[in-house]
Amino acid sequence: MINLNALVYGVEISNLSPLVYYAGNDEDIKIGDLVLVNTDMGLDVGKVRIGPKEMTFEEIGYEVTSILRKLNEDDMITYKENIELAQKAKNITEKKAKELNLPMRILSSRVVFDRSKIIVFFGSDTRVDFRDLVKELAKEFKARIELRQIGIRDEVKLIGALGLCGQQTCCSRFLRNFDSIKMEMAKTQQMLINTAKISGRCGRLMCCLAYENEFYEKSLHCIPNEGSTIEYENVPAKVITVNVFLKQVTLQIIENNQPVIVKLPFDYFKKNCPIGD
């Protein structure tokens, strides 16, 4: 099987958006440069974050197009004007949405490079009929208007917030992609299942639950769960605590009608793991 390679750059279309790879062999392009590229929104400007690097098409996973060019002086003037126009579009959309009594939170807007389209991103707790709003905006800007409703996680990522840890939320600070976060992760990490303490500002389970999950899964593999009953030296034993940091399991057994505490290292259980686990 032929494994074809391409010299590519990872380009960020908007702040902390997933990187899109574009082909390019211009030695003048450096990390941090603004470049002109084709996107799903149209001709747009992105910032180079990675590259140049050689990747296989299998690693990239999609058909790669080329960077059109690094922004020149005229392009930079257009780009800055588009940023100002996007802010104006956001402000006017907010005003008109209120006039139409639409339950929308206008978050940001973006103007494609040739100004043929304006994309407005908004959040809402319900479906919104924004057809009248689009008509008014199209008359105002003489351009194609696209309103995109985004999910609550993306909304917090876009506007930013403080997490329960006191720091800026991970999504608005460095995360480009959202992992699938499940309640099982909190249980695996022996956290108290208190929704208020394991949910982020978006109301969903915190992204940071994924960071240490692999460590806990590996450490607790073949270790009995707290509260379960197992057999220890041919007698029933209740698992009182599982301490992942001390790597110790505390059991309670009954001897001579009296409760007896037994502490066992994780290795006691690990050595009896089924082959292949």
Side-chain angles (χ1 to χ4, degrees), residues 89-271:
K90 177 179 181 292
N91 295 339
I92 290 177
T93 304
E94 283 180 326
K95 179 182 177 182
K96 291 187 177 295
K98 288 180 181 178
E99 291 174 354
L100 294 169
N101 294 316
L102 296 177
M104 305 169 69
R105 298 182 292 274
I106 309 303
L107 305 171
S108 70
S109 62
R110 189 176 185 91
V111 179
V112 299
F113 188 74
D114 61 5
R115 299 176 187 168
S116 61
K117 180 165 62 173
I118 298 175
I119 303 99
V120 180
F121 300 91
F122 73 94
S124 178
D125 300 325
T126 184
R127 293 178 63 88
V128 181
D129 183 354
F130 47 69
R131 287 174 292 183
D132 290 339
L133 176 61
V134 169
K135 291 176 183 177
E136 292 200 21
L137 293 175
K139 290 178 184 177
E140 178 77 29
F141 293 102
K142 303 297 188 294
R144 180 183 171 191
I145 304 297
E146 183 177 331
L147 291 175
R148 290 192 183 185
Q149 182 172 355
I150 64 176
I152 187 62
R153 295 176 83 188
D154 289 295
E155 185 173 339
V156 172
K157 178 184 178 73
L158 189 61
I159 64 178
L162 289 179
L164 295 178
C165 59
Q167 299 188 65
Q168 186 180 352
T169 51
C170 297
C171 60
S172 59
R173 185 154 46 103
F174 62 86
L175 284 182
R176 293 192 181 278
N177 298 287
F178 289 115
D179 290 326
S180 176
I181 310 298
K182 301 177 181 179
M183 184 63 75
E184 286 75 12
M185 292 181 176
K187 295 177 180 177
T188 298
Q189 296 172 48
Q190 303 175 319
M191 302 179 72
L192 293 175
I193 307 304
N194 182 331
T195 305
K197 292 185 179 296
I198 60 175
S199 298
R201 294 302 181 188
C202 59
R204 306 290 190 266
L205 292 174
M206 295 189 298
C207 292
C208 57
L209 289 175
Y211 301 163
E212 298 178 355
N213 193 62
E214 184 178 355
F215 162 77
Y216 279 91
E217 284 186 338
K218 184 176 180 181
S219 298
L220 296 173
H221 184 58
C222 288
I223 304 301
N225 296 323
E226 286 187 2
S228 63
T229 299
I230 64 172
E231 186 176 289
Y232 170 68
E233 295 188 351
N234 299 319
V235 298
K238 184 175 182 179
V239 180
I240 305 300
T241 61
V242 176
N243 192 315
V244 70
F245 301 109
L246 295 178
K247 295 186 176 181
Q248 186 178 80
V249 176
T250 301
L251 305 177
Q252 178 182 284
I253 61 174
I254 302 298
E255 287 186 355
N256 301 321
N257 295 323
Q258 296 294 323
V260 176
I261 297 299
V262 178
K263 295 182 183 294
L264 298 174
F266 277 12
D267 288 343
Y268 174 86
F269 302 93
K270 296 280 189 181
K271 66 183 179 183

